[in-house]
Amino acid sequence: MEAPNVEELLVQAERDEAQKLQRITVHKELELEFDLGNLLASDRNPPTTVRHAGATPEAELRALARDNTQLLINELWQLPTERVEEAVVARLPEPSTRLPREKPLPRPRPLTRWQQFARLKGIRPKKKTNLVWDEASGQWRRRWGYKRARDDTKEWLIEVPGGADPMEDQFAKRIQAKKERVAKNELNRLRNLARAHKMQVPSAAGLHPTGHQSKEELGRAMQVAKVSTASVGRFQERLPKEKAPRGSGKKRKFQPLFGDFAAEKKSQLELLRVMNSKKPQLDVTRATNKQMREEDQEAAAQRKKMSQKGKRKGGRPGPGGKRKGGGPPSQGGKRKGGLGGKMQSRPPGVGGKRRGGVQPHGGKRRK
Amino acid sequence: DGLVDKVKPKTKRAKRFLEKREPKLSENIKNAMLIKGGNANATVMQVLRDMYALKKPYGEFFSKKSDCSLFMFGSHNKKRPNNLVIGRMYDYHVLDMIELGIEKFVSLKDIKNSKCPEGTKPLLIFAGDDFDVTEDYRRLKNLLIDFFRGPTVPNVRLAGLEYVLHFTALNGKVYFRSYKLLLKKSGCRTPRIELEEMGPSLDLVLRRTHLASDDLYKLSMKMPKALKPKKKKNISQDTFGTTYGRIHMQKQDLSKLQTRKMKGLKKRPAEKTEDKETSKRIKKN
C-alpha cells in the first residue's frame, strides 16, 4: 500500500516543481535587453496582444508588464548578493545606457604658484589638528579663523621692543601688518585666478557649445580669430561691406600726475604766455587739417548730390570732373594722420588744389 | 568663466554649496524642474503633481535658483490640448525637448490603493519595437530613462524593489503605466511577480520634438577619461575562461642558462681531453 503512495508522492512532487518553474518562466520570441545598473529592460517584441485589444488595452498591458517584469526580476536575482545589516543586497553592475551629462567636463586648472613650488621641492601637506590648546584663554581654540588660538592683534598688553620708538603705537602696527598680509593674500589669489583664466580662454575659442550667443560675444570671438594669424591680422581680407574695427587700438595715455617738474613748469608758463598775449596764436598744422577735413566733407556731399542727379539725367559729368594733378607739397607742415582714413579713395590731385589754396589763410608759415 | 567667482564664499557652507554646483567628474543626481505654464489646466496640473510625487525628493516646482537640468512644462490651449513638454539641459542650455500630448490620464489619487514610499528607485521597462526604429523615439526613450531613473547606486536591496514604470509604444502612442510590485512565493529562489496598478497612467501622443544637433549631443556625451574603466594590458581571456598573461623578456643566451648541477655528471679534466681527441679523429674521417 505504501509503494504506490510513495510513487504518487514523487510524481506529485515532480509536477509541483514543474509548475513552480513554470510560474517564473516567460516565453518571449526575442530576448530582452537588460541594463541592470539602471534597473532597465527593453523589450523588442512587437506588442501584438496589445494591438489586438482595441480601445482599452488595460488588461493586455498589465499582462505584458507582468511578463517583462518577471524577466527583469529573474535577471536581478541572479546577481551576486551580500548581506548588509540583515538585508539581502544585490550588487549592481555599472549602468550601460549612455546618458548625456548635465554640465561640461571640468577643465584641468593650472597649478597655483604654491602648488608648483611644493611639487618642485617635494613638500607634501602635513595633516594638522583643527583645534589648538590656547594657554591664555585656557581652552581649545581653532588653529585659524574666528576666535583663533594665537591672535596677536587681540592682545591687551604689548611690550615696546628695545629698538623701537616709544611714541609708536604697537597695536596699530600689528593691525596694519595684518591688513597688509590679508591684502597680499588676496592679490596672490587673484593672480592665480587670472593665470587660470588666461589658460582657459584659448581652449574655448570664444564659441559656446549651443551656438546661442549674443552679438557682442560673437564679435569678440571673431576679432580674436582675426588677429590670431602669423602676421597678427594685417593681411586678413574683409567682407565687401565690412568696416574696419575702430577702437581696438591703445587708449589715450595721460601724463603722470607728478613726474617731470621742469617740463610741467615749462608747459604751464607757455600756457600763461599764450593766454596773456594779444595776438591770437594759431597752430597751423591743426588749422590746415581742420580746414581740409571740412572741405573734403563738402566735396563728398556735393559729389553725392551730383552723382544722384547724374544718374537721373543719364550720367553727365559733374563740375568736379577735371582736376589739376599733384600740387606743391603741403606747406602746412606735418599731417598728423588726420587724413589717413578719409583720403584713401580720393585722387591726389584734389588735395593738391586745396593745399595750394590754404596758404593765404594760414598764419605763420613753417618750413 | 566659472573660475572667476562673482561671489567669493565667506563661509564653509557657502563654499560647499558652490562646489556642489560646479562641473565635476562624476556628477550629482539630476534635479527636475516642474513648470506650470500660464494656461495650464487641471489635468496638466495634476500630471505635474503626480510626476513630482514620483520624483521626490529630486523635483522642484519652478524656481530660478535651483540647479536643475531636467524640466517638465505643462500647458493647455486650443491647438495643443493637455500639452506636456519634457526636456533636459546641458550647461544651462536646452539640449532636448519633446512635446507630448496627454490623451488619457488617471491620477495617483484616483486609484485607491497603497502607494510605495517616495525616493525608491523604479524598475523601467520599455516595450515595443517602435522605440528603436525612429530617432525621435530613441531620444524619447533616452530622455525618459534620464528623467525617471533616480540615483545611481552600487547596491540595491532586493526586497526593496517596489515599483515598475512600463512604457509601451504602439500605433504612435506611448502608454505609460506604473505598477506596484508584489513578490509571491514560487518555490525556488526567484519570486513570482504579481502587479497591482498603483500610480499615474498616461496615454501620450508624440507631438513636436526639438532634438539637439549631433555634435552638441556628442559633446554632452563625452565621458571623462578618469571614469572610463582602465584596461589592464597584457591580460587576455580565452573562451573557456582561462586567463592568460604576457611577459616581455630580453633575449636569453641559452648556453649560459643556469640549470640544476649534477656533480656526478661533471666531466673530469682527463675525460675532457679524451673527448677532444675522439672528436678530432671523427672529423678527419
Side-chain angles (χ1 to χ4, degrees):
Chain A
M1 275 275 102
E2 289 175 17
N5 267 354
V6 171
E7 267 183 34
E8 266 179 38
L9 281 170
L10 281 173
V11 166
Q12 187 67 28
E14 256 189 62
R15 245 184 280 146
D16 281 341
E17 277 288 337
Q19 234 182 18
K20 279 174 196 167
L21 275 175
Q22 214 179 33
R23 298 179 93 189
I24 60 164
T25 49
V26 176
H27 173 69
K28 285 272 180 183
E29 286 174 2
L30 265 174
E31 287 296 318
L32 303 197
E33 287 177 359
F34 297 102
D35 174 11
L36 296 174
N38 278 326
L39 299 180
L40 173 72
S42 304
D43 181 12
R44 291 266 173 85
N45 298 305
T48 39
T49 47
V50 183
R51 210 190 299 264
H52 295 324
T56 49
E58 287 304 324
E60 280 75 14
L61 279 174
R62 197 204 202 122
L64 181 64
R66 198 220 77 80
D67 287 341
N68 286 336
T69 323
Q70 182 72 61
L71 286 168
L72 181 57
I73 291 284
N74 290 352
E75 285 294 316
L76 283 171
W77 249 252
Q78 288 178 5
L79 289 171
T81 60
E82 32 188 64
R83 276 207 103 80
V84 174
E85 293 170 11
E86 302 152 6
V88 181
V89 156
R91 171 172 249 109
L92 290 177
E94 289 282 326
S96 67
T97 324
R98 284 184 66 191
L99 293 165
R101 289 176 60 95
E102 57 172 357
K103 292 191 186 114
L105 287 171
R107 270 182 281 245
R109 297 188 191 181
L111 297 174
T112 61
R113 265 180 77 85
W114 166 251
Q115 280 173 335
Q116 287 170 2
F117 180 75
R119 205 172 250 209
L120 266 179
K121 291 270 180 165
I123 303 171
R124 248 178 263 150
K126 251 191 257 178
K127 186 73 183 173
K128 298 193 178 109
T129 56
N130 280 344
L131 301 174
V132 185
W133 175 251
D134 184 26
E135 261 315 316
S137 62
Q139 42 173 240
W140 287 95
R141 281 208 173 156
R142 48 187 89 174
R143 191 183 288 275
W144 58 274
Y146 182 61
K147 284 196 191 143
R148 57 180 169 277
R150 288 166 232 145
D151 192 352
D152 59 355
T153 50
K154 297 279 192 297
E155 283 195 39
W156 56 273
L157 180 75
I158 305 178
E159 284 179 10
V160 175
D165 177 19
M167 293 299 133
E168 201 182 7
D169 186 357
Q170 297 294 330
F171 299 99
K173 197 166 148 202
R174 285 206 178 166
I175 292 174
Q176 193 60 35
K178 167 99 182 137
K179 282 191 185 162
E180 280 171 17
R181 271 179 277 140
V182 167
K184 176 172 170 274
N185 200 3
E186 184 68 17
L187 175 71
N188 283 331
R189 182 184 81 90
L190 289 174
R191 244 196 263 156
N192 279 327
L193 224 58
R195 204 175 299 121
H197 204 65
K198 198 170 61 155
M199 288 305 149
Q200 274 209 344
V201 164
S203 58
L207 292 172
H208 273 189
T210 55
H212 302 311
Q213 252 172 301
S214 69
K215 195 169 150 191
E216 292 89 35
E217 287 179 13
L218 281 174
R220 241 182 292 145
M222 190 204 68
Q223 270 181 7
V224 170
K226 253 211 175 128
V227 185
S228 336
T229 54
S231 42
V232 205
R234 263 195 71 179
F235 303 109
Q236 284 302 105
E237 289 161 357
R238 262 182 271 137
L239 289 176
K241 288 205 182 157
E242 201 180 329
K243 290 177 231 165
R246 290 192 68 232
S248 49
K250 272 200 170 156
K251 295 199 185 132
R252 273 182 71 190
K253 276 206 155 152
F254 294 98
Q255 298 290 333
L257 274 180
F258 48 89
D260 192 359
F261 293 110
E264 194 184 343
K265 182 176 177 183
K266 191 164 152 241
S267 67
Q268 300 274 24
L269 285 176
E270 177 73 25
L271 183 68
L272 281 173
R273 192 183 63 78
V274 164
M275 283 187 349
N276 275 336
S277 70
K278 308 287 181 192
K279 276 211 270 182
Q281 301 279 341
L282 189 63
D283 184 1
V284 186
T285 359
R286 288 185 76 174
T288 43
N289 286 344
K290 200 170 181 183
Q291 179 73 16
M292 283 195 277
R293 217 180 301 133
E294 275 176 17
E295 290 177 344
D296 288 349
Q297 280 174 351
E298 279 175 53
Q302 265 220 326
R303 241 188 304 116
K304 246 195 189 170
K305 243 196 319 181
M306 283 305 141
S307 72
Q308 276 184 355
K309 273 197 199 162
K311 276 183 195 162
R312 265 185 263 143
K313 290 184 184 175
R316 235 183 24 198
K322 288 186 192 161
R323 299 232 181 271
K324 277 193 208 162
S330 161
Q331 290 197 355
K334 310 169 238 157
R335 302 249 186 126
K336 292 196 176 165
L339 307 177
K342 297 207 176 165
M343 290 287 268
Q344 274 171 5
S345 50
R346 331 230 10 267
V350 176
K353 192 175 180 197
R354 299 291 150 68
R355 278 177 231 155
V358 164
Q359 270 186 329
H361 302 297
K364 287 188 194 163
R365 269 174 228 181
R366 294 190 200 147
K367 286 189 184 170
Chain B
D1 251 271
L3 281 187
V4 182
D5 35 331
K6 297 150 199 161
V7 179
K8 184 183 168 192
K10 289 206 168 68
T11 56
K12 268 237 169 96
R13 185 162 173 240
K15 188 164 176 231
R16 265 181 272 139
F17 178 80
L18 285 178
E19 273 178 6
K20 195 170 173 216
R21 296 222 169 159
E22 269 175 3
K24 289 185 243 180
L25 273 185
S26 44
E27 301 193 303
N28 304 337
I29 306 158
K30 292 193 184 183
N31 270 337
M33 197 173 6
L34 302 162
I35 311 168
K36 180 177 83 145
N39 47 7
N41 63 353
T43 325
V44 164
M45 273 298 295
Q46 193 56 39
V47 171
L48 288 178
R49 277 200 204 104
D50 285 351
M51 291 299 161
Y52 177 58
L54 280 182
K55 278 221 63 132
K56 272 191 197 178
Y58 302 112
E60 294 200 33
F61 266 104
F62 188 65
S63 85
K64 261 190 184 175
K65 287 190 185 169
S66 65
D67 181 31
C68 293
S69 59
L70 298 166
F71 65 89
M72 203 186 238
F73 174 85
S75 69
H76 173 79
N77 47 23
K78 210 157 123 185
K79 193 171 175 194
R80 284 174 227 287
N82 295 333
N83 212 19
L84 195 69
V85 180
I86 307 187
R88 59 185 161 196
M89 314 228 270
Y90 173 72
D91 195 18
Y92 302 110
H93 299 283
V94 167
L95 182 65
D96 285 335
M97 283 196 294
I98 298 185
E99 192 177 56
L100 302 161
I102 305 168
E103 296 215 328
K104 194 176 82 117
F105 170 58
V106 182
S107 157
L108 269 173
K109 19 180 229 180
D110 293 340
I111 305 177
K112 313 259 188 280
N113 51 10
S114 59
K115 316 289 176 195
C116 61
E118 62 191 38
T120 41
K121 196 168 155 85
L123 298 174
L124 298 165
I125 302 185
F126 289 83
D129 47 352
D130 280 345
F131 273 120
D132 298 298
V133 170
T134 17
E135 181 62 33
D136 280 353
Y137 271 100
R138 257 178 282 162
R139 275 302 168 85
L140 177 65
K141 179 176 170 187
N142 200 303
L143 183 55
L144 289 170
I145 297 173
D146 213 356
F147 201 87
F148 286 111
R149 80 171 161 150
T152 313
V153 284
N155 301 321
V156 71
R157 195 172 135 251
L158 288 177
L161 293 167
E162 303 265 342
Y163 74 111
V164 58
L165 300 174
H166 191 265
F167 300 88
T168 319
L170 186 66
N171 298 341
K173 281 213 230 176
V174 175
Y175 297 96
F176 168 59
R177 301 280 181 275
S178 45
Y179 302 101
K180 191 161 165 211
L181 219 58
L182 303 166
L183 306 167
K184 297 275 164 71
K185 278 204 175 154
S186 80
C188 48
R189 198 166 151 259
T190 323
R192 181 175 161 86
I193 300 294
E194 291 297 334
L195 297 177
E196 195 187 326
E197 177 116 26
M198 161 196 85
S201 79
L202 301 161
D203 287 359
L204 301 164
V205 174
L206 193 66
R207 285 183 189 154
R208 299 177 291 181
T209 58
H210 173 94
L211 305 178
S213 57
D214 276 336
D215 45 351
L216 182 58
Y217 197 62
K218 264 193 212 163
L219 189 67
S220 66
M221 292 286 241
K222 248 188 177 174
M223 288 291 140
K225 274 201 178 150
L227 288 186
K228 273 194 219 156
K230 272 217 153 150
K231 197 174 170 211
K232 279 203 138 178
K233 288 175 112 174
N234 293 324
I235 295 181
S236 60
Q237 279 199 334
D238 70 354
T239 46
F240 299 106
T242 329
T243 322
Y244 291 98
R246 281 184 112 170
I247 310 173
H248 299 268
M249 292 223 23
Q250 291 172 334
K251 197 161 182 176
Q252 280 178 314
D253 186 10
L254 290 171
S255 58
K256 300 225 167 49
L257 204 62
Q258 189 89 297
T259 52
R260 282 186 68 186
K261 293 174 190 162
M262 294 205 183
K263 259 189 166 170
L265 296 177
K266 219 173 172 179
K267 280 196 173 165
R268 273 174 279 143
E271 282 181 339
K272 264 195 204 165
T273 47
E274 270 180 37
D275 264 347
K276 264 195 199 167
E277 283 173 16
T278 48
S279 64
K280 274 187 192 164
R281 263 182 253 136
I282 290 166
K283 271 189 193 172
K284 278 186 186 168
N285 295 347

